Amino acid sequence: MAEPELRGCSQFEASIAFAILALPVPKNLRSFLCITVVWLCHPQLALWAWQTGHPESSAVPAQQTQPSSAPASASAALPDVPDADELPRLEPVPGSGKALVPVHIAANTQRKDGPVYTLLGDVEVRYKDYVVHAARMNYNEDTGEARAEGHVELDGGPADEHILADHATLNLDLDTGRFYNVTGSVGVRENVSRKKVIYTTTNPFLFTGRVVIKTGPEKFRVIDGTMTSCRLPHPDWVIAAGRIDMADGQASARNALFRILNIPIVYLPYVTHPVMSSDRQSGFLIPVFSQSSTKGSVFGEQYYLALNRSMDLTIGTDYYSKRGWAPSGEFRYRGHGDDFADIRFTALFDRGILLGTTLTNQGGQDIFINGRHGLGAHTRLVSNAEYLSSIIYREAFAESFSQATATQVNSSIYLTHNSGGVSETGSFNRYINYAQVSPFIEDVVIAHLPTIDVTSVERPLAGTWLLWSAYGSVAGLNRHEPGFETAHEVGRADVHPGLSAAFHLGSFDIRPEVAVRESFYTKSQAPTFIRDPITQSFVPVYRSASLNRKDVEAGIELRAPVMERDFAPAWLAHFDRMLRHTIEPEAHYQFISGINNFRNILRFDPTDLVSDTNEIEYSVTQHFYLKKLHPKPCGNAPLPPEGYGRVYLPTGYHDCSNTDTSESLSWTLAQKHYFDPNFGGAVFDNRRNVLATTLDLTGISFLAGPRDYSPLISRLELRTNQTLSFGWDVDYDPHAGRINGSNVYADVRHAGFFGTISGARLDALNPSTVPTPAMPSSVTNYEQIRATLGYGAGTKTGFSSGVNLGYDLNQDALQYGGVQTSYNWNCCGLTVEYRRLALGAERNENYESFNFTLAGIGTAGNINRSQLIY
């Protein structure tokens, strides 16, 4: 055995060491002398001494010695023979003379000397599900041992292992080895043909090391290395340590240093990082910090608890220096199929804020319970419930403008069974509309406790060409608002069967229908109204008398043939396109009679808004389509392999599932004519009236008394391509000579830039006014604009920025505004934001926040997804 070079020892000390080892002493004493040598010289000499004193162990596997081609400096830098005992020696099967696993070898030059192969030039060795490439390799087929040199590359395995090294020693049968000057990854696959890196896991793991010891499948030890989730060779963040152990889906290190952009950030006595693991781990999340003009300095922390593979829990709290503690939590469950549960709560124990001269407590709680549970193939239980203790709490502390201005809370829990075209549903529903935000005043609260519905789809009536359908329900109802409250539970039973038929007269489609309805209420209301002394609005008068409602219904629907024409102007033909224009006219006549007690019916839901009517609705819809003049043939190139997905189709491939015709513009005009302007006596003069027939046309109230026609409804939508879209919805009332409602928007996206602008105008009737000519129904008027402009995306590398705002034109005031700017590196990103919310006396807030994200670790900050502009 060659004597090792004694680095770090003087010549005198070396002479003494060799003299001691040459003494003819017993083996145990020679072992003791080896320990003495460790104290005298470099620890490498201790290994040589041990092998000298134990000749039977001199056949150390090749993995334990560095190839002769390695430079001396690299040998000197190696650690103290790290874990040589962890590389088990292969004992061949007696008499087999072959490796334990099949090995396929390819090289430019091959030479075999007994069981040893010498391979030169473009060496490729395949074993199990691994592939090894190298410039040179010696391979022993009896022991499975191999020594590779020159650009060594190992790929494969169940975890998509990828290792690049200067040289390596391997045991192909035991899946062990030692690699030098290593760059590697787990969970990353390189698509050579596309020159792209494909992440085969949501949690990739990349590492570097001076020495990497592979002790088995998916088990590594890194000496003097780093680990990260960023792309190499220039990762944004790394964890550096003298030793990193990777096993059982987790990497761990002690005495590590965490660096961001090569800047040391924090010393970590012990740290773990998942490796190819989708399992979640419990622990504290990254703290959040922000600043607010109304909350003060904000500090928050949360704890994440992984209950099992299907459930987790997140609990924590924020502290507002000006207001108090704000605890929050979320429980999540994902079950079989579509089953899930999501329970979220937020709260604030408010110390109060001074509004004017009054100290106001704006604290409260908000709880959401959403979920679904399947009870068989046709039955499910669904919950979509919310509890809000105070509308002021939502307005003052909701994260976004849309949440802060939402005044309705709708909760429902239902059990439904659907089979054979019949649906049976039992439900509990509670609806709250907070129109007034003064403390302890709720505008309207309506509860269904409970409701049982049975609905049948249309089906043939035996032996005839008729179709029959039916609807029935039984409900316990309750309603209260300032100045009005029903009994704890008002009973209602409703039955509504019907018959219909479908005819084709030439190119016309005709559908007549008839139906009857019978309803019974255990309570009712007086046909007159009284003024509430607190709100000064007019409310109904509750009566304990029961009521029966019945009607007869008839109708006919007529659809004329679609008229179409194709145009191919020269300017469109230049883009290989032609234009198709279609016109679709429709008419629907409806007659309902027999409801002579509409004013006595309590209002709970649309079932109670059915009134007498004699009307016809007519509409015309125009569509404009763009069609390719010369569509590409289908399937002239093969689909890519399933393993690579089908996001990037080969050049020349035309997916036949995508049509060559796309709708570019749609425009619908509709209106109703009422032959009975009084709707059977259901309409009050000079106040807002809401009937089922008006809701079918538009959600904007317009009926302030008898009238013989509705507003003209226009719905326009333009979408030229993925770059531009435009829409405009208008309700024009020729009776009042004004636009009741107008909503217009435009959205442009091109080359990373995006912009959206919208405007909303409303002239709607107020809900409560005195039903006399002396006090005509007043009109609620507002006009607002919204705008969003920006560049980039949340996941885009580099710079992104965006701004949004909402402006009230009537009040000449900014309602909200925000500016966000981001910069994303390879696998970390920083987002900063400034926001302002101006919602009157209850909330006038300036808010600064940030997010700092590290891939594979988490996000520090408190910018929620709902607040992102891009």
Side-chain angles (χ1 to χ4, degrees):
M1 175 178 293
E3 297 178 356
E5 181 180 359
L6 299 182
R7 297 180 180 272
C9 296
S10 67
Q11 185 175 2
F12 176 75
E13 292 169 333
S15 301
I16 295 177
F18 285 118
I20 293 175
L21 293 174
L23 293 175
V25 295
K27 183 188 302 183
N28 293 338
L29 181 57
R30 189 176 290 115
S31 300
F32 174 76
L33 294 176
C34 288
I35 300 176
T36 304
V37 173
V38 173
W39 287 91
L40 294 176
C41 291
H42 194 280
Q44 267 192 292
L45 181 59
L47 175 64
W48 178 84
W50 179 268
Q51 294 172 348
T52 303
H54 295 74
E56 69 279 5
S57 65
S58 60
V60 178
Q63 295 94 318
Q64 299 179 7
T65 60
Q66 185 179 2
S68 58
S69 61
S73 60
S75 175
L78 288 178
D80 305 342
V81 193
D83 307 303
D85 57 337
E86 293 191 10
L87 296 179
R89 175 173 174 78
L90 173 68
E91 297 295 339
V93 178
S96 67
K98 297 291 181 182
L100 297 181
V101 297
V103 177
H104 302 278
I105 298 173
N108 293 340
T109 303
Q110 300 184 26
R111 186 178 72 250
K112 186 176 183 183
D113 185 8
V116 179
Y117 286 87
T118 301
L119 310 173
L120 299 174
D122 294 332
V123 179
E124 179 180 286
V125 176
R126 294 182 177 268
Y127 70 100
K128 297 181 181 178
D129 50 356
Y130 290 91
V131 180
V132 180
H133 292 90
R136 301 174 299 278
M137 181 181 291
N138 293 330
Y139 169 65
N140 189 321
E141 66 176 350
D142 284 349
T143 64
E145 297 174 351
R147 176 180 296 175
E149 300 176 356
H151 305 292
V152 181
E153 182 175 356
L154 172 71
D155 289 287
D160 288 317
E161 300 169 17
H162 177 72
I163 296 178
L164 298 175
D166 290 346
H167 50 278
T169 56
L170 305 166
N171 191 305
L172 306 187
D173 293 325
L174 294 182
D175 239 352
T176 59
R178 185 183 296 264
F179 303 84
Y180 301 90
N181 300 326
V182 175
T183 297
S185 64
V186 176
V188 180
R189 181 189 304 163
E190 184 175 358
N191 186 348
V192 179
S193 63
R194 300 183 188 278
K195 298 182 179 180
K196 290 185 177 181
V197 172
I198 299 175
Y199 288 90
T200 59
T201 174
T202 57
N203 214 5
F205 182 84
L206 299 93
F207 57 91
T208 63
R210 185 167 53 84
V211 179
V212 172
I213 304 169
K214 181 176 172 62
T215 60
E218 303 179 48
K219 293 183 178 180
F220 300 90
R221 174 163 292 175
V222 180
I223 305 301
D224 293 341
T226 65
M227 57 181 173
T228 183
S229 294
C230 304
R231 293 182 180 179
L232 301 176
H234 304 294
D236 294 337
W237 67 265
V238 297
I239 297 174
R243 168 174 160 176
I244 301 172
D245 293 313
M246 294 182 285
D248 302 324
Q250 181 173 277
S252 61
R254 299 179 185 275
N255 300 320
L257 186 63
F258 182 63
R259 295 192 182 104
I260 297 178
L261 301 177
N262 208 29
I263 300 174
I265 301 297
V266 63
Y267 166 77
L268 303 171
Y270 180 76
V271 62
T272 63
H273 189 284
V275 179
M276 272 293 292
S277 175
S278 59
D279 295 336
R280 298 152 297 159
Q281 299 181 3
S282 301
F284 286 97
L285 303 182
I286 300 177
V288 297
F289 305 90
S290 61
Q291 188 72 29
S292 167
S293 61
T294 58
K295 301 172 185 174
S297 299
V298 179
F299 170 78
E301 178 60 292
Q302 291 182 313
Y303 185 82
Y304 176 80
L305 178 61
L307 301 175
N308 55 41
R309 61 178 297 179
S310 302
M311 294 185 291
D312 58 29
L313 175 67
T314 304
I315 55 175
T317 185
D318 290 347
Y319 178 72
Y320 305 155
S321 62
K322 291 184 178 180
R323 310 302 292 271
W325 293 96
S328 62
E330 181 176 12
F331 169 80
R332 300 187 304 173
Y333 163 76
R334 295 297 179 268
H336 178 72
D338 296 328
D339 290 357
F340 76 96
D342 189 359
I343 302 174
R344 292 175 288 127
F345 85 91
T346 60
L348 173 65
F349 302 106
D350 191 17
R351 295 195 298 263
I353 185 173
L354 195 64
L355 299 178
T357 59
T358 305
L359 184 66
T360 304
N361 187 330
Q362 297 180 326
Q365 304 85 39
D366 198 357
I367 303 175
F368 296 87
I369 303 178
N370 300 321
R372 178 196 185 276
H373 181 63
L375 301 173
H378 306 287
T379 307
R380 65 185 185 275
L381 176 66
V382 179
S383 171
N384 184 9
E386 179 184 3
Y387 167 75
L388 178 64
S389 64
S390 169
I391 188 64
I392 297 178
Y393 168 67
R394 171 184 285 180
E395 183 179 358
F397 295 99
E399 296 295 338
S400 66
F401 176 81
S402 59
Q403 294 173 343
T405 56
T407 60
Q408 298 181 350
V409 177
N410 199 347
S411 301
S412 63
I413 301 175
Y414 65 87
L415 175 68
T416 183
H417 174 79
N418 300 279
S419 180
V422 178
S423 175
E424 305 96 5
T425 302
S427 63
F428 292 85
N429 181 274
R430 187 170 186 259
Y431 167 85
I432 306 176
N433 183 12
Y434 295 94
Q436 303 179 48
V437 296
S438 299
F440 313 113
I441 294 182
E442 300 170 349
D443 186 46
V444 177
V445 179
I446 301 174
H448 293 64
L449 306 168
T451 299
I452 299 176
D453 298 297
V454 180
T455 304
S456 172
V457 300
E458 290 184 335
R459 57 184 65 207
L461 187 64
T464 69
W465 40 264
L466 298 175
L467 301 173
W468 70 271
S469 63
Y471 168 79
S473 70
V474 178
L477 309 167
N478 173 266
R479 173 174 180 154
H480 68 84
E481 58 187 284
F484 177 78
E485 184 172 359
T486 66
H488 179 69
E489 194 163 292
V490 177
R492 183 186 70 191
D494 183 57
V495 180
H496 189 208
L499 291 173
S500 63
F503 299 98
H504 302 283
L505 185 60
S507 299
F508 289 83
D509 294 329
I510 303 174
R511 176 187 169 85
E513 55 187 358
V514 295
V516 296
R517 181 187 292 271
E518 182 80 21
S519 305
F520 175 76
Y521 296 81
T522 60
K523 307 296 180 181
S524 60
Q525 68 181 30
T528 58
F529 290 77
I530 62 173
R531 184 189 296 272
D532 178 69
I534 299 178
T535 64
Q536 295 300 309
S537 62
F538 282 80
V539 294
V541 178
Y542 175 74
R543 297 196 315 177
S544 60
S546 61
L547 180 144
N548 182 259
R549 177 189 68 178
K550 54 187 176 181
D551 69 37
V552 176
E553 305 174 9
I556 184 170
E557 183 177 356
L558 175 65
R559 295 190 178 185
V562 177
M563 296 173 283
E564 65 179 40
R565 184 178 176 182
D566 292 341
F567 301 88
W571 64 274
L572 271 179
H574 178 73
F575 298 99
D576 193 33
R577 293 292 190 274
M578 62 176 292
L579 180 68
R580 173 168 293 176
H581 178 209
T582 67
I583 301 176
E584 304 174 10
E586 296 182 22
H588 185 199
Y589 172 78
Q590 185 178 29
F591 175 80
I592 301 177
S593 179
I595 304 177
N596 52 13
N597 52 2
F598 178 82
R599 296 188 180 185
N600 298 102
I601 298 173
L602 293 166
R603 312 288 197 270
F604 299 100
D605 55 43
T607 300
D608 309 313
L609 301 180
V610 178
S611 64
D612 285 358
T613 186
N614 185 8
E615 65 185 47
I616 184 171
E617 178 182 353
Y618 38 89
S619 66
V620 57
T621 301
Q622 301 183 72
H623 297 282
F624 294 86
Y625 301 91
L626 284 177
K627 180 178 176 62
K628 289 185 179 180
L629 288 174
H630 305 93
K632 296 180 181 179
C634 295
N636 57 356
L639 282 172
E642 290 289 344
Y644 292 101
R646 295 186 177 180
V647 178
Y648 303 101
L649 294 177
T651 303
Y653 180 82
H654 177 63
D655 188 358
C656 298
S657 62
N658 295 328
T659 178
D660 292 311
T661 302
S662 60
E663 182 178 25
S664 297
L665 187 145
S666 174
W667 186 20
T668 299
L669 294 173
Q671 191 177 34
K672 284 188 176 183
H673 178 76
Y674 304 113
F675 300 102
D676 179 8
N678 292 297
F679 298 91
V683 176
F684 284 103
D685 286 333
N686 300 301
R687 74 180 302 264
R688 189 181 75 165
N689 297 271
V690 179
L691 307 177
T693 180
T694 63
L695 287 178
D696 288 341
L697 183 67
T698 177
I700 301 176
S701 60
F702 63 88
L703 196 60
R707 59 187 298 168
D708 53 7
Y709 49 87
S710 74
L712 180 64
I713 308 302
S714 172
R715 303 291 183 259
L716 175 67
E717 184 175 2
L718 170 67
R719 184 178 295 275
T720 58
N721 47 40
Q722 297 297 324
T723 301
L724 173 65
S725 61
F726 173 82
W728 190 13
D729 296 345
V730 179
D731 289 10
Y732 175 72
D733 191 347
H735 185 273
R738 67 166 183 262
I739 294 177
N740 288 346
S742 174
N743 291 282
V744 59
Y745 76 91
D747 184 89
V748 180
R749 300 177 183 273
H750 180 68
F753 293 91
F754 61 90
T756 301
I757 186 168
S758 63
R761 178 181 177 182
L762 177 66
D763 289 320
L765 302 177
N766 279 335
S768 298
T769 54
V770 60
T772 64
M775 295 184 63
S777 178
S778 61
V779 174
T780 298
N781 174 269
Y782 75 79
E783 191 169 2
Q784 300 172 348
I785 60 172
R786 306 278 186 266
T788 301
L789 299 172
Y791 168 77
T795 58
K796 173 185 172 296
T797 302
F799 174 79
S800 298
S801 184
V803 58
N804 66 354
L805 62 88
Y807 196 83
D808 192 311
L809 297 177
N810 287 349
Q811 299 182 7
D812 193 20
L814 181 72
Q815 294 180 314
Y816 72 89
V819 179
Q820 283 183 5
T821 299
S822 301
Y823 193 89
N824 292 328
W825 289 267
N826 178 15
C827 65
C828 71
L830 175 66
T831 300
V832 294
E833 176 195 49
Y834 169 79
R835 257 190 312 134
R836 173 175 171 77
L837 287 174
L839 305 178
E842 300 295 340
R843 187 172 187 178
N844 191 353
E845 180 182 17
N846 298 316
Y847 192 69
E848 300 93 24
S849 57
F850 77 97
N851 271 2
F852 184 72
T853 302
L854 294 173
I857 294 183
T859 299
N862 58 345
I863 301 178
N864 297 325
R865 185 178 297 273
S866 61
Q867 302 170 234
L868 295 177
I869 297 178
Y870 42 84

